């Protein structure tokens, strides 16, 4: 049996055989003596980095990632098993509206899956891309609606792509806007602890002064100290200090109506803030340790050898589609249909996959193949490497392109 995945340790691979993966998913969980569990919904606008963060928390790439929006098409689960604790990560499509869904020819599930995730979550991570200057100072209508519909679910704000933000002092303004100036029930007085010209510094400290009276402090909360130095990636204080911060011990927010949300830019009920760079894996372990500490006593859902509830074929399709999205212009990739022709194991344990990519037009076929077959070769090479990482075996991937 593969050892449980811990921060910095190797997680189990995904089975290459559909039946084997099915058996593993149906296996009775190997419960420890006092099991703990936490179900985490990861929500945010499309392309905020939800799948990248989920993959980093898992320690192996099983969710597709692309710069194009709507790469994640359905809700999938990732499983982190560490000692007596199991984290179940619900990677969801980006929160979108029916108009955008029609424009990208998206399934109905992409509108409902994020809401379904919230119903099953013990904690929600709200991811915001701070490198996007147009959207970083306010939560989208869809995210605010989602949070207001489930006010009882503890929420944590995660500022992603902090490494790309050149002017670090802007983080102060972003934090104030996205939290409405309140974190964990306490008003924040945010002061800059560094000079404006130190914008090139990678990890500037932010000084947060608690402006709330001492009796309102939640025991064990990282916000319960009068002054905290916030480093990139840390919460408002050190994660080792968090006791019941994310446990819903503080009085929950009231239900918000549409008129209340109209004037809101942020959410005043976040229990914690993290700043990280998911793509580079910077400070992801800090968040992971925090999540492990928030787990509650309860039975595991999965055997410790399970990394995801997806079938090997689903992982393969998603990773190939990720590369197609990456290398084809505009709306072209959304019309590609994938058909797996061959999926078999070789004599030495290698996996042979042959997949046909069906496109609606001859011009799309030429684009996908590329001059001298360069584009399709690159897609096959990069997807093959990702599949080797997921399955931990040699993968020989061949792609064919045909007009439907």
């Amino acid at each position: 049996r593969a050892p449980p995945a811990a921060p910095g340790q190797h997680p189990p691979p995904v089975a290459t055989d559909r039946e084997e993966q099915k058996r593993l998913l149906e296996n009775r969980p190997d419960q420890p003596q006092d099991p703990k569990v936490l179900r985490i919904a990861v929500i945010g606008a499309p392309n905020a980095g939800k799948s990248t963060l989920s993959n980093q928390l898992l320690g192996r790439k099983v969710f597709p990632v692309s710069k194009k929006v709507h790469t994640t098409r359905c809700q999938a689960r990732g499983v982190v098993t560490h000692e007596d604790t199991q984290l179940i990560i619900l990677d969801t499509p980006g929160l979108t509206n029916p108009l955008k869904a029609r424009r990208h020819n998206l399934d109905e599930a992409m509108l409902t899956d994020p809401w379904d995730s919230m119903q099953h979550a013990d904690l929600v991570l709200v991811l915001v891309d701070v490198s996007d200057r147009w959207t970083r100072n306010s939560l989208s209508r869809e995210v605010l609606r989602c949070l207001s519909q489930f006010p009882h679910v503890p929420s944590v704000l995660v500022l992603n792509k902090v490494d790309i933000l050149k002017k670090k002092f802007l983080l102060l303004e972003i934090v104030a806007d996205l939290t409405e100036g309140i974190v964990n029930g306490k008003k924040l007085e945010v002061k800059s602890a560094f000079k404006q010209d130190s914008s090139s510094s990678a990890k500037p400290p932010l000084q947060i002064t608690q402006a709330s009276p001492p009796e309102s402090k939640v025991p064990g909360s990282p916000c319960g100290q009068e002054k905290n130095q916030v480093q990139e990636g840390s919460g408002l204080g050190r994660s080792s200090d968090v006791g019941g911060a994310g446990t819903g011990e503080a009085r929950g927010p009231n239900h918000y109506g549409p008129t209340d949300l109209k004037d809101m830019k942020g959410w005043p009920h976040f229990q914690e803030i993290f700043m990280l760079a998911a793509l580079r894996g910077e400070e992801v372990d800090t968040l992971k340790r925090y999540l492990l500490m928030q787990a509650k006593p309860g039975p595991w859902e999965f055997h410790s050898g399970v990394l995801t509830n997806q079938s090997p074929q689903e992982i393969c399709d998603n990773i190939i589609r990720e590369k197609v999205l990456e290398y084809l212009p505009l709306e072209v990739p959304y019309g590609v249909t994938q058909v797996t022709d061959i999926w078999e194991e070789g004599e030495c344990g290698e996996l042979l996959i042959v997949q046909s990519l069906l496109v609606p037009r001859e011009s799309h076929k030429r684009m996908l193949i590329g001059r001298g077959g360069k584009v399709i070769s690159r897609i096959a090479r990069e997807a093959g490497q990702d599949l080797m990482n997921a399955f931990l075996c040699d993968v020989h991937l061949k792609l064919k392109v045909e007009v439907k």
Side-chain angles (χ1 to χ4, degrees):
R1 186 195 301 161
Q9 284 187 356
H10 292 295
V14 180
T16 56
D17 179 69
R18 186 193 289 267
E19 291 307 310
E20 190 185 334
Q21 173 73 344
K22 196 177 168 187
R23 276 195 302 275
L24 200 53
L25 288 168
E26 288 169 354
N27 258 1
R28 186 174 293 175
D30 44 343
Q31 305 283 358
Q33 197 165 359
D34 298 302
K36 289 187 282 186
V37 69
L38 187 73
R39 291 168 199 82
I40 306 148
V42 186
I43 68 167
N47 212 15
K50 297 178 295 298
S51 295
T52 302
L53 178 60
S54 297
N55 286 331
Q56 290 283 11
L57 288 168
L58 289 171
R60 205 175 289 292
K61 183 174 178 178
V62 295
F63 298 125
V65 177
S66 167
K67 293 189 187 78
K68 284 206 174 71
V69 297
H70 308 308
T71 307
T72 301
R73 291 295 184 112
C74 62
Q75 177 189 309
R77 295 183 179 207
V79 184
V80 176
T81 304
H82 174 51
E83 294 173 358
D84 60 355
T85 304
Q86 196 162 78
L87 304 178
I88 297 158
I89 300 164
L90 312 168
D91 185 43
T92 59
L95 280 158
T96 188
N97 58 45
L99 183 68
K100 288 177 186 168
R102 279 199 300 277
R103 189 189 305 156
H104 285 94
N105 194 25
L106 306 177
D107 299 335
E108 183 68 27
M110 291 196 64
L111 293 171
T112 58
D113 277 354
W115 299 82
D116 291 343
S117 290
M118 290 292 287
Q119 285 176 348
H120 298 106
D122 304 313
L123 181 79
V124 58
L125 298 183
V126 178
L127 212 60
V128 174
D129 173 3
V130 296
S131 72
D132 188 336
R133 59 192 288 252
W134 304 108
T135 62
R136 66 191 174 203
N137 285 87
S138 62
L139 296 174
S140 72
R141 291 295 100 200
E142 286 81 17
V143 168
L144 279 172
R145 269 182 60 224
C146 210
L147 289 169
S148 69
Q149 292 291 317
F150 301 92
H152 57 284
V153 181
S155 55
V156 170
L157 176 64
V158 179
L159 303 182
N160 189 25
K161 309 186 189 180
V162 176
D163 56 320
I164 302 173
L165 192 65
K166 286 188 171 64
K167 297 175 180 175
K168 303 295 181 191
F169 62 85
L170 290 173
L171 286 168
L172 302 166
E173 185 190 309
I174 293 166
V175 165
D177 287 343
L178 296 181
T179 62
E180 300 271 319
I182 297 169
V183 176
N184 207 12
K186 300 170 196 66
K187 197 166 184 185
L188 297 181
E189 197 180 298
V190 186
K191 294 177 182 175
S192 175
F194 52 92
K195 295 186 179 76
Q196 295 280 77
D197 61 6
S198 66
S199 60
S200 61
S201 163
K203 294 190 175 185
L206 313 182
Q207 197 172 63
I208 310 279
T209 304
Q210 296 304 322
S212 57
E215 60 268 22
S216 69
K217 289 174 185 174
V218 178
S221 165
C223 297
Q225 299 157 21
E226 206 149 299
K227 283 187 184 179
N228 291 316
Q229 293 291 316
V230 179
Q231 291 289 346
E232 183 182 330
S234 65
L236 296 183
R238 297 186 306 277
S239 77
S240 58
D241 293 331
V242 303
T247 60
E249 288 168 8
R251 190 162 49 83
N254 298 323
H255 193 83
Y256 286 84
T259 47
D260 301 314
L261 297 179
K262 198 164 54 133
D263 302 320
M264 289 170 68
K265 285 172 74 176
W267 182 244
H269 303 289
F270 288 120
Q271 302 205 339
E272 192 52 276
I273 302 171
F274 288 87
M275 302 179 192
L276 48 80
L279 188 62
R280 289 162 61 167
E282 284 182 13
E283 299 296 349
V284 173
D285 270 358
T286 308
L287 175 61
K288 193 172 185 174
R289 282 192 292 273
Y290 170 81
L291 295 172
L292 288 165
M293 291 172 74
Q294 302 311 308
K296 295 284 193 305
W300 286 1
E301 276 187 40
F302 297 97
H303 189 276
S304 62
V306 172
L307 187 68
T308 178
N309 67 339
Q310 300 170 92
S311 73
Q313 280 82 357
E314 282 173 325
I315 291 171
C316 176
D317 285 354
N318 284 336
I319 283 175
I320 292 170
R321 192 168 50 79
E322 166 202 310
K323 306 301 176 191
V324 171
L325 280 165
E326 201 63 37
Y327 294 118
L328 287 191
L330 301 171
E331 304 295 311
V332 175
Y334 298 99
V336 175
T337 305
Q338 294 165 259
V339 178
T340 301
D341 304 316
I342 297 172
W343 183 289
E344 60 188 37
E345 201 172 303
E347 289 175 15
C348 304
E350 73 278 15
L351 184 61
L352 174 63
I353 304 169
V354 178
Q355 190 171 96
S356 295
L357 304 177
L358 309 179
V359 293
R361 296 191 186 92
E362 192 67 41
S363 58
H364 292 181
K365 179 181 174 179
R366 286 196 297 274
M367 269 189 251
L368 186 47
I369 292 171
R371 186 171 292 177
K374 276 186 180 173
V375 175
I376 198 68
S377 299
R378 187 173 182 180
I379 290 170
R381 185 174 65 253
E382 291 185 9
Q385 285 169 345
D386 283 350
L387 292 171
M388 280 191 240
N389 174 264
F391 300 134
L392 276 195
C393 71
D394 283 336
V395 175
H396 302 301
L397 175 63
K398 186 180 177 185
L399 297 176
K400 300 187 291 185
V401 186
E402 297 168 13
V403 178
K404 285 178 193 173

